[in-house]
Amino acid sequence: AQKITQTQPGMFVQEKEAVTLDCTYDTSDPSYGLFWYKQPSSGEMIFLIYQGSYDQQNATEGRYSLNFQKARKSANLVISASQLGDSAMYFCAMREIDGGNNRLAFGKGNQVVVIP
Amino acid sequence: DAGITQSPRHKVTETGTPVTLRCHQTENHRYMYWYRQDPGHGLRLIHYSYGVKDTDKGEVSDGYSVSRSKTEDFLLTLESATSSQTSVYFCAISPGDRESDSPLHFGNGTRLTVT
């Protein structure tokens, strides 16, 4: 069964606007971690932000924030003030602490294109 | 820079030949991983290692084997390459003391084409 779901089609966003990337997950573990990665066209995987299942506050890292809704099992990434360099694939990932042997499972990704 | 080097960066090989990809880290981290990336599938875990000589299978391990005889090296072997193994292969490490909340750091990938 798919653990991480990213279903949005490719997105175009105007420079300087905010964009939200959806991610829903499926787990029965009470303890887990959620991660977002960016993959630009050059191919490298860049870690952006982390949210723990017990964290009380939504994670933020610069222009990146995570809208964590635990009851709905969603962990949407918000990129504020988009820049041309934000054009990339974005992957949501989850690590289940108890039942997943600490392995990281990835969604299929969201493509974002920032237009000037 | 997480100190991860993958080699080769690109390889073209013929169906039925053995292929070994190497991942080398410079920081003695315990956990290492091999993923493959294919369009429409995201990244899928092939094998991982939690120490020297300690390895386990991921979700797409058929047709692959791994070895870790030293902390710094994690080798992925395709015993007899098939066209379905054409992919981009990423090695990753988990650098934190608490593996649970440590993000993976990735190498730059190996693009393998099986003809």
Side-chain angles (χ1 to χ4, degrees), chain A residues 88-104:
Chain A
M89 281 288 288
Y90 289 83
F91 293 95
C92 180
M94 177 179 67
R95 173 180 278 139
E96 296 168 288
I97 309 308
D98 295 324
N101 293 320
N102 281 323
R103 292 170 289 180
L104 203 61

Side-chain angles (χ1 to χ4, degrees), chain A:
Chain A
Q2 190 171 343
K3 296 278 189 177
I4 300 288
T5 302
Q6 297 178 260
T7 57
Q8 289 165 303
M11 303 175 68
F12 290 88
V13 59
Q14 199 76 41
E15 193 177 9
K16 300 181 183 177
E17 291 186 350
V19 58
T20 298
L21 305 180
D22 296 340
C23 172
T24 58
Y25 58 91
D26 181 28
T27 181
S28 57
D29 276 346
S31 181
Y32 52 90
L34 297 158
F35 303 79
W36 276 92
Y37 285 82
K38 171 184 178 181
Q39 187 179 41
S41 58
S42 53
E44 70 267 32
M45 293 290 292
I46 302 167
F47 165 68
L48 296 178
I49 195 166
Y50 163 80
Q51 178 85 44
S53 59
Y54 291 117
D55 293 343
Q56 295 297 311
Q57 293 189 322
N58 287 341
T60 61
E61 287 287 346
R63 294 187 298 112
Y64 304 107
S65 61
L66 207 152
N67 183 3
F68 181 46
Q69 299 186 46
K70 192 172 182 177
R72 298 179 60 183
K73 294 186 177 178
S74 75
N76 298 340
L77 177 71
V78 180
I79 306 173
S80 62
S82 298
Q83 302 173 355
L84 297 178
D86 294 333
S87 295
M89 281 288 288
Y90 289 83
F91 293 95
C92 180
M94 177 179 67
R95 173 180 278 139
E96 296 168 288
I97 309 308
D98 295 324
N101 293 320
N102 281 323
R103 292 170 289 180
L104 203 61
F106 285 81
K108 295 181 180 181
N110 296 108
Q111 180 74 51
V112 172
V113 176
V114 180
I115 51 178

Side-chain angles (χ1 to χ4, degrees), chain B residues 22-115:
Chain B
R22 179 180 183 237
C23 179
H24 178 79
Q25 60 150 327
T26 58
E27 300 180 5
N28 291 320
H29 295 300
R30 179 182 173 193
Y31 292 90
M32 299 184 76
Y33 306 80
W34 276 108
Y35 285 85
R36 62 176 288 174
Q37 183 178 24
D38 305 288
H41 289 278
L43 280 84
R44 293 180 291 175
L45 182 65
I46 306 171
H47 280 280
Y48 67 105
S49 170
Y50 40 96
V52 173
K53 294 187 166 59
D54 288 327
T55 65
D56 206 346
K57 296 179 180 180
E59 62 180 308
V60 290
S61 59
D62 287 348
Y64 302 94
S65 62
V66 290
S67 66
R68 192 160 178 209
S69 58
K70 298 184 291 183
T71 300
E72 59 266 35
D73 289 325
F74 192 30
L75 304 181
L76 177 71
T77 297
L78 292 66
E79 300 292 346
S80 177
T82 67
S83 58
S84 65
Q85 293 176 312
T86 292
S87 187
V88 178
Y89 292 86
F90 284 97
C91 174
I93 62 167
S94 186
D97 290 334
R98 278 164 42 87
E99 207 245 349
S100 58
D101 57 7
S102 297
L104 296 190
H105 291 186
F106 287 84
N108 288 326
T110 294
R111 185 173 295 275
L112 176 67
T113 302
V114 183
T115 61

